[in-house]
Amino acid sequence: MAGFLRKLLPTLPSNHDDDDNHHSMEYSFAMEYHGPPVTYDVPLAVPVDIDQVPTAAAVVSASLVDNSSVPVIQPIVMGKPLSKKLVDKLKSGSEMTALGEPVGLSARGSSGAVGSLNGDESAPKLLDAIRSSGRFGFSKIHKDSYELLGSSDMLQLSNDCKDGGGFEDYLSHVSSDSSESGVSSEVLSSEDSKTEKPRHVKEPSSVTFRDPESYDIFQEESDHAEARNIHRRRAPERNVKKGLCYRCLKGNRFTEKEVCIVCSAKYCVSCVLRAMGSMPEGRKCVTCIGLPIEESRRRTLGKCSQMLKRLLSDLEIELIMRYELLCEVNQLPHELVCVNGEPLSQEEMVFLKSCPKPPKKLKPGRYWYDKVSGLWGKEGHRPCQIISPQLNVGGQIKRNASNGNTKILVNSREITEVEHWMMHVAGIRCVGNISLWLSADGTYQEEGQKNMIDPIGNKSGVRLLCAVFSLPILPDSANPSGGEVNDPVNEVGLNRLEQKASHKLFLIGPNRSGTSTIFKQAKLLYNVPFSEDERQNIKFMIQTNLYCYLGILLEGRERFEEEILTEMQKRQSVDEPGPSGNTGLTQDKTIYSIGPRLKAFSDWLLQVMVSGNLEVIFPAATREYAPLVEELWKDAAIQATYNRRSELKMLPRVASYFLDQSVEVSKVDYEPSDVDILYAEGITSSNGLACTEFSLEDVDLDPHNQPGTLPSRRFELIRVHPKNLGDNCKWLEMFEDVGIVLFCVSLSDYDELSDGLNGFSRNKMLESKKLFERVVTHPNFEHKDFLLILNKFDLLEEKIDLSPLTKCEWFHDFTPVVSHNYNSRSSISNTHSLAQIAFHYIALKFKTLFYSLTGRKLYVSSVTGLEPDTVGEALTYAGTILKWDEEKKPNYVLCDSSYSLDTSTS
Ligand SMILES: Nc1nc2c(ncn2[C@@H]2O[C@H](COP(=O)(O)OP(=O)(O)OP(=O)(O)O)[C@@H](O)[C@H]2O)c(=O)[nH]1
Ligand SMILES: [Ca+2]
C-alpha cells in the first residue's frame, strides 16, 4: 500500500529511490527560487504532511476480512509465477480489469522461480524437469487456483521480455528490491511498467482489486533500516486461535494442516493452495515469499506433508520441495554460523557446505572446529561429529572451545570429560597436563614424541560409547573414512539416537544388584536380538564362569578332603597310639579324593584363579580343557562336593544352573540359550556400559481408549556399572539427557556383607544406600525422576522367615504386625506376606530418604530380575512416569506435528 501511495505522491521518501533513478521519471520537482523578489502573490505549495494524508489502515485481523463485503485492496505479491490465464491475457493483450484471481509475476530475482533458474546451480535440473514435463500444470488444483507456467509459456515469456529489452531490467529491479528491502507488497504500477513493460503486455491498472479472500495477511512495509537486514525481518505475528486454519479460521488442533516455514501460519486442506500459491520457495504464505525461513523449521525443509501430497502431483511436490531446499533465501545465512569465534563469510560457508563431509544439520550457532582431526562441536560442548579436516574456515581453535576441564590438550583444545573417559576405556591412559596430537586418521601422538597410539575407533567398546554419547566415531583401519557407512554401531546407534526422540532410561545399581539381569531381561522381553558379537561375548563369559565355578568346587573338594583326612588322623591317633608306620595308602583316600590327572588340572586351575588370570586364559583354553571338564564333572569326588555346595559360600546361586550342564557348556560349539544368557553373570561389554532400544506402547492415561490403538514410543535403556563411574561417581555428569533414573537395589542385601577392601566389610544394604544417596544428589540428576527397583524379591521371600530384616541396622525398627491370617495363605482375606510387608517397609525407608534429600517423590517397583513379568511392569511404569511428566508440560507437540497428523478432514 505504501507503494501505491508512492505513485500518487512522488515526493514521498522512498527506499526505492535508488532504483527508481534507473527509470525515466515523469515527475516535476519545484526548485528553490534564487531570483529577484517578485511583486505578485506566489501560489503556495504546502508541503505534504504524510501523517495527514488519509490512508486506510492495514487490516490486522483476518476475521475482519472474513465475512465483509468491503472491497479490499490487496497488495500484489511478486513471488508468484504468472497464472496460465494471466499469461494468456498478457499475450492476447486483453483488457486487465479488476481481477478475480491473484496476479503475480514470477519475478522475484533469486528467490522466485524464474530467479532460481537464473542463479541457482540447480537451475539446469529444474529447467529440465519443467521442460520434460511438457505442459506443466497444477492439474489437481480446484476451481480458479493457480497454475504453474507451462514450459513453453515461460520460455516464450522470457524471450518476449528479452526482445523488448525491458523485462530483464524489470527482473533485476525487482530482484534488487527483494534482496535489499525484501518488500513483498510491491505494487505493480503504471509508472513502473511504462518503460519496461513486456512487448505484449498491456498496461495494468495501477490499482488492482482482487478477491478479498485471496489473502488474509497483510504485511506492512518494513522501515528502511530494518529492511536492509534481511535476517531480522519476520512475518508479522498473527493472533489466530490455536488449532484454527489461519485463512478460514475453522477447524481444531486435530485438523490436518500445512505450516508456513516463515511465519508458522497453518492452513487447512481447502485453504493451503490459495494461501501458499505455487510455492516458488516452498511452503510459504504468499506474503512470506522472499522472507527467510524460521530457523526452527529448517529441519523440516523438503519434508512434505501427506496432505500436500494428496493435493498435488508427485512432480509438483518434487519441484516445490526442491525449491524449498535450494532457493537462496531459504539457505542458512552464513554470518549466523560462527566457527572458532569468527562468523563465516559467504565463501567460507560455500566451502564448508561443499566439502566431502560437511557438518550435518547445520543450524545458526557458534561452533568449534578442530582442523587437524576434523572434530566439530558446538561451542562449550563435546564434539558431535567429524567433518572434513583442513578446511580453511573460521578462526583458530581455542583451548576452552569445548569447555573441557581435563587439562588434557588434544590439538590445542582441552578435551571434555567424556572424551577423556573414552580414551580411558580405549586404553589410552593419560593424566593431567599432557598435550596430544590427534590426526584425521584417528591416531594419537604425544606432542614431541614419535610413537603412535592405536586408533581408538577400533575397539567395539569405544564405538558403543560413542553411540551412547552421540560422539563422532574416529576412523580406523577397517573404516578409514570414519563415516557412518558400513558402520553398524554408528548406523544403529548414533543415527538412530539422533533421529528418534527416544526417552532414555538410565539403569544403575550397586555391584550385583541385578542391573545386567534386568537389562538382558528387557532385551528378551522386547525382542531386541543380541548381536552376533554379544552372543559370542556372552558365550565366552559363561564358559569362563564355568571354570570359575569348577574352581570353587575344586577348592571346596580340597577343603572337604583335608577335613576328612584330619579327622581320620585324629581318630587314628586316638584308636592306636604310638608310631603308625603300617597304615596303608588306601587309608588316605576319601570320597573327595581325585586322581593325579585331575589333581594336576585342579592345582593349575586354582593357581590361575588366585593369580586372577582366569579371564586371560579362557575362553581361549576352552578347546583344550573341554574333555577334562567332562571327566571332572563325572568324577565321584566332584559330585560329592557338589552335593555339599550349600557350604560353599563362594559359589553363586546361578552356578548350579550352569554346572548341571557343564559338559554341554564347555564344548567349543556351545550356543547359549536365552535362559543361559539371562542367567549368565556379567554383561557383554567390558566397560560395563550397555544400551538397547525398544518400543513400548503408550501408557494409557485415558481409560476410554481402546487397547492396542495407542502409539508406541521408543525407549533407550542405558545400563552402567558403578565401577565405571569413577571416584564419587564423577562420570555421571555425562548422562545429562536421561529421562528417568532406574536405581536398582537387591532386596537380599539386608543380611549380606560386602567383601570390602582390606578385609573391611559392610552391610550391603548400607552400601547400596550410600550409592543411592550419591546418585540422587548428583547435580546432573537434580530434577530427574527416580524409579527405585527393589530387585530379587524371590530371595527376600526365601530368607525373610529365617533371617530377620533387623539384621540391617537401618531397618532396626521393623516390627511387622503379622496378622493372624499370616500362616493361612489360602485365606481370602487380603493378607500380605511378610516379604511384602518388608518390601513396603524398605520402599518407605528409601522414599523418606529420597524426600529428605530432594524434596520430591520417589517411585518404587518390586521386581524379580529373573522373571520377565515383573521387569516388564517396572519398565512400563517408568514409561508411565515419563508420560506424566510430558502431560504436565504445555502441549506444544500436537500443534507442531501438524505435518504428520494424518487425520483426514472434510
Ligand atoms: N534369585 C535372583 N537372582 C537374581 C535376580 N536378579 C539378578 N539375580 C542374580 O544376581 C546376580 C547378579 O546379578 P547381575 O545382573 O549380574 O548384577 P549386576 O548388577 O550386573 O552386578 P555385576 O554382576 O557386578 O555386574 C546374578 O547371578 C543374577 O543371576 C533376581 O531377581 N532373583
Ligand atoms: Ca553381573
Side-chain angles (χ1 to χ4, degrees):
M1 248 169 303
F4 168 55
L5 271 181
R6 187 155 56 85
K7 313 311 171 222
L8 302 177
L9 305 160
T11 46
L12 264 180
S14 154
N15 44 357
H16 305 295
D17 280 348
D18 290 350
D19 306 315
D20 288 349
N21 290 340
H22 307 315
H23 322 303
S24 52
M25 305 282 277
E26 292 177 60
Y27 310 124
S28 38
F29 293 90
M31 307 288 285
E32 199 184 332
Y33 179 71
H34 291 288
V38 288
T39 49
Y40 50 91
D41 277 332
V42 182
L44 266 179
V46 184
V48 178
D49 182 355
I50 303 160
D51 293 333
Q52 297 299 313
V53 179
T55 54
V59 178
V60 186
S61 156
S63 58
L64 275 173
V65 184
D66 193 37
N67 49 5
S68 83
S69 52
V70 184
V72 176
I73 300 170
Q74 302 272 1
I76 293 179
V77 175
M78 304 307 289
K80 182 175 303 303
L82 290 171
S83 77
K84 177 72 175 61
K85 267 190 213 163
L86 180 60
V87 172
D88 288 341
K89 275 182 190 153
L90 289 173
K91 282 183 178 167
S92 65
S94 69
E95 269 307 311
M96 275 182 66
T97 48
L99 296 170
E101 61 176 317
V103 178
L105 286 173
S106 53
R108 282 199 67 83
S110 57
S111 53
V114 170
S116 40
L117 291 179
N118 290 338
D120 210 293
E121 60 186 63
S122 63
K125 277 189 211 150
L126 292 175
L127 255 185
D128 282 350
I130 293 174
R131 281 200 184 112
S132 63
S133 73
R135 267 204 60 82
F136 179 74
F138 282 1
S139 47
K140 269 190 260 175
I141 305 178
H142 29 235
K143 292 185 285 176
D144 54 347
S145 303
Y146 326 118
E147 295 173 298
L148 197 64
L149 279 178
S151 57
S152 50
D153 294 335
M154 188 176 308
L155 292 176
Q156 174 70 50
L157 179 62
S158 64
N159 283 337
D160 286 348
C161 299
K162 265 181 200 140
D163 293 347
F167 197 67
E168 291 259 285
D169 282 355
Y170 182 77
L171 277 186
S172 64
H173 161 65
V174 178
S175 93
S176 66
D177 259 357
S178 66
S179 59
E180 290 241 300
S181 66
V183 181
S184 56
S185 51
E186 181 72 33
V187 171
L188 187 61
S189 74
S190 54
E191 270 75 27
D192 278 328
S193 54
K194 195 167 267 173
T195 48
E196 300 108 24
K197 62 171 183 190
R199 206 169 46 191
H200 303 296
V201 181
K202 265 243 167 176
E203 233 180 77
S205 61
S206 55
V207 178
T208 311
F209 288 95
R210 293 193 292 164
D211 172 14
E213 273 203 13
S214 50
Y215 305 116
D216 313 330
I217 306 132
F218 294 82
Q219 210 208 328
E220 286 173 83
E221 194 167 344
S222 350
D223 75 277
H224 194 78
E226 176 105 33
R228 295 220 164 252
N229 186 351
I230 193 165
H231 304 305
R232 271 194 283 141
R233 283 177 53 249
R234 283 274 165 265
E237 303 257 316
R238 270 157 294 159
N239 272 333
V240 175
K241 236 179 89 195
K242 237 183 195 173
L244 300 187
C245 167
Y246 277 51
R247 189 168 169 278
C248 64
L249 301 175
K250 287 182 197 132
N252 57 49
R253 57 185 193 154
F254 299 106
T255 319
E256 207 179 3
K257 286 184 219 74
E258 187 59 85
V259 183
C260 168
I261 52 178
V262 175
C263 70
S264 302
K266 300 180 181 74
Y267 301 103
C268 70
V269 67
S270 19
C271 296
V272 63
L273 293 177
R274 282 169 156 249
M276 292 193 174
S278 57
M279 298 178 241
E281 296 174 2
R283 294 161 295 169
K284 297 181 180 180
C285 318
V286 282
T287 44
C288 289
I289 291 168
L291 295 181
I293 66 161
E294 162 63 37
E295 282 303 329
S296 64
R297 302 217 169 257
R298 185 163 296 286
R299 64 197 165 84
T300 68
L301 287 192
K303 288 172 195 156
C304 187
S305 71
Q306 289 302 318
M307 186 176 99
L308 217 51
K309 279 183 190 157
R310 287 198 306 273
L311 288 173
L312 303 172
S313 76
D314 291 351
L315 183 62
E316 287 153 8
I317 291 289
E318 198 191 320
L319 267 174
I320 290 168
M321 289 303 124
R322 260 206 244 175
Y323 292 145
E324 190 169 294
L325 281 168
L326 298 174
C327 80
E328 208 177 306
V329 69
N330 291 359
Q331 300 310 304
L332 179 61
H334 59 86
E335 70 274 20
L336 296 188
V337 174
C338 212
V339 177
N340 294 340
E342 287 178 16
L344 294 189
S345 67
Q346 177 71 48
E347 293 77 51
E348 285 175 317
M349 186 60 141
V350 172
F351 232 66
L352 188 63
K353 287 175 79 177
S354 56
C355 73
K357 274 182 75 183
K360 279 180 284 186
K361 300 178 185 156
L362 193 59
K363 289 195 283 256
R366 304 180 64 85
Y367 299 90
W368 59 263
Y369 169 49
D370 172 355
K371 290 174 196 176
V372 183
S373 66
L375 280 171
W376 171 274
K378 277 198 176 146
E379 222 171 77
H381 295 272
R382 62 196 185 204
C384 63
Q385 47 184 312
I386 294 185
I387 67 166
S388 300
Q390 311 297 349
L391 299 177
N392 198 10
V393 296
Q396 284 292 319
I397 194 161
K398 295 186 186 66
R399 181 185 168 120
N400 63 352
S402 51
N403 205 14
N405 56 355
T406 51
K407 299 212 165 55
I408 299 165
L409 290 188
V410 170
N411 301 346
S412 311
R413 175 183 58 92
E414 193 167 340
I415 62 168
T416 55
E417 288 278 277
V418 67
E419 293 171 88
H420 182 198
W421 193 35
M422 254 184 57
M423 288 171 69
H424 178 84
V425 171
I428 301 171
R429 301 290 146 104
C430 46
V431 271
N433 292 320
I434 189 173
S435 193
L436 299 169
W437 285 108
L438 170 63
S439 61
D441 65 6
T443 47
Y444 277 98
Q445 200 176 349
E446 206 176 324
E447 206 171 75
Q449 310 228 310
K450 284 237 169 71
N451 54 320
M452 301 283 186
I453 310 172
D454 263 352
I456 71 160
N458 265 342
K459 315 220 170 166
S460 60
V462 174
R463 294 186 153 241
L464 181 78
L465 269 178
C466 291
V468 169
F469 292 112
S470 310
L471 280 172
I473 289 178
L474 286 163
D476 60 43
S477 43
N479 175 29
S481 68
E484 285 69 26
V485 222
N486 306 327
D487 187 343
V489 174
N490 208 0
E491 277 283 282
V492 180
L494 185 61
N495 285 353
R496 258 211 336 228
L497 300 190
E498 258 184 277
Q499 279 160 16
K500 295 192 183 146
S502 58
H503 306 268
K504 291 190 180 178
L505 314 177
F506 183 74
L507 177 62
I508 187 169
N511 203 11
R512 308 201 56 77
S513 58
T515 54
S516 52
T517 305
I518 289 168
F519 180 85
K520 287 181 285 187
Q521 192 68 266
K523 284 192 90 154
L524 296 173
L525 211 52
Y526 301 113
N527 296 315
V528 185
F530 289 94
S531 70
E532 206 32 61
D533 225 37
E534 283 173 309
R535 284 195 173 268
Q536 195 68 18
N537 279 332
I538 291 172
K539 170 183 168 176
F540 289 159
M541 216 157 47
I542 292 174
Q543 291 183 325
T544 308
N545 286 343
L546 179 70
Y547 284 93
C548 182
Y549 304 149
L550 287 173
I552 294 168
L553 277 186
L554 286 168
E555 200 197 20
R557 181 209 65 82
E558 248 179 39
R559 209 173 73 221
F560 295 155
E561 187 183 29
E562 262 167 41
E563 276 172 15
I564 287 195
L565 284 177
T566 339
E567 187 76 3
M568 277 164 64
Q569 268 169 8
K570 261 195 225 154
R571 215 179 303 143
Q572 235 173 19
S573 54
V574 171
D575 286 355
E576 15 178 318
S580 56
N582 54 351
T583 37
L585 268 172
T586 44
Q587 291 214 292
D588 284 346
K589 267 217 174 253
T590 72
I591 48 162
Y592 299 110
S593 304
I594 46 173
R597 206 172 112 88
L598 288 181
K599 183 77 175 76
F601 175 59
S602 164
D603 289 347
W604 172 81
L605 186 62
L606 289 177
Q607 210 183 337
V608 167
M609 279 176 70
V610 168
S611 69
N613 284 332
L614 195 67
E615 270 127 73
V616 182
I617 291 164
F618 292 98
T622 303
R623 188 178 294 275
E624 201 179 331
Y625 294 105
L628 272 171
V629 169
E630 186 164 359
E631 193 180 330
L632 195 69
W633 184 245
K634 288 183 174 154
D635 193 280
I638 294 299
Q639 284 299 322
T641 312
Y642 185 59
N643 287 337
R644 288 176 66 183
R645 61 184 174 273
S646 57
E647 294 168 56
L648 304 173
K649 284 273 177 307
M650 294 281 289
L651 200 66
R653 280 171 64 99
V654 287
S656 44
Y657 173 83
F658 291 106
L659 281 170
D660 283 338
Q661 35 172 345
S662 49
V663 177
E664 279 309 304
V665 170
S666 63
K667 284 186 178 148
V668 178
D669 57 0
Y670 159 69
E671 294 283 343
S673 70
D674 283 356
V675 181
D676 292 358
I677 290 174
L678 194 63
Y679 279 40
E681 288 189 275
I683 204 160
T684 51
S685 70
S686 55
N687 51 51
L689 186 116
C691 81
T692 186
E693 263 198 60
F694 55 88
S695 296
L696 268 181
E697 196 174 82
D698 243 0
V699 212
D700 202 346
L701 298 180
D702 179 357
H704 303 295
N705 281 342
Q706 296 265 311
T709 55
L710 294 156
S712 62
R713 291 182 297 161
R714 296 293 293 173
F715 289 92
E716 193 192 350
L717 184 65
I718 303 170
R719 181 260 186 189
V720 198
H721 198 281
K723 72 169 185 257
N724 288 294
L725 289 174
D727 299 339
N728 291 320
C729 300
K730 65 169 184 168
W731 301 112
L732 273 183
E733 69 192 56
M734 280 167 309
F735 300 92
E736 60 207 343
D737 57 344
V738 302
I740 184 169
V741 182
L742 312 182
F743 195 93
C744 186
V745 169
S746 166
L747 282 168
S748 62
D749 277 356
Y750 73 94
D751 67 342
E752 289 170 16
L753 294 179
S754 66
D755 23 74
L757 296 167
N758 316 325
F760 176 79
S761 52
R762 263 187 82 170
N763 178 285
K764 279 171 79 176
M765 186 57 85
L766 294 180
E767 302 253 286
S768 298
K769 178 182 174 233
K770 209 169 94 191
L771 183 68
F772 178 77
E773 286 168 328
R774 195 168 289 157
V775 173
V776 161
T777 53
H778 194 279
N780 222 16
F781 294 152
E782 230 176 349
H783 304 291
K784 303 273 189 235
D785 282 318
F786 272 77
L787 172 61
L788 177 68
I789 292 181
L790 290 177
N791 190 30
K792 307 197 192 180
F793 186 74
D794 58 330
L795 295 185
L796 180 72
E797 272 182 321
E798 234 172 63
K799 68 180 178 187
I800 189 139
D801 288 323
L802 314 166
S803 173
L805 203 63
T806 45
K807 276 193 174 173
C808 170
E809 58 186 80
W810 191 24
F811 302 147
H812 65 92
D813 57 349
F814 179 66
T815 45
V817 187
V818 179
S819 94
H820 296 296
N821 298 332
Y822 169 56
N823 285 323
S824 51
R825 289 185 187 211
S826 55
S827 155
I828 312 159
S829 71
N830 198 8
T831 319
H832 292 292
S833 70
L834 186 59
Q836 277 165 331
I837 298 170
F839 160 77
H840 286 292
Y841 170 84
I842 296 172
L844 189 64
K845 281 277 175 190
F846 274 99
K847 281 179 179 215
T848 313
L849 174 64
F850 186 79
Y851 186 80
S852 73
L853 294 169
T854 68
R856 287 180 293 128
K857 180 186 155 135
L858 175 71
Y859 302 93
V860 186
S861 262
S862 136
V863 165
T864 298
L866 297 175
E867 291 168 10
D869 293 357
T870 56
V871 174
E873 279 162 24
L875 293 173
T876 307
Y877 191 29
T880 313
I881 296 164
L882 285 171
K883 183 88 183 162
W884 286 334
D885 266 13
E886 280 165 27
E887 302 273 309
K888 271 185 246 156
K889 287 180 196 137
N891 200 347
Y892 303 113
V893 191
L894 263 175
C895 300
D896 272 354
S897 62
S898 39
Y899 306 95
S900 51
L901 270 179
D902 208 354
T903 46
S904 205
T905 48
S906 62

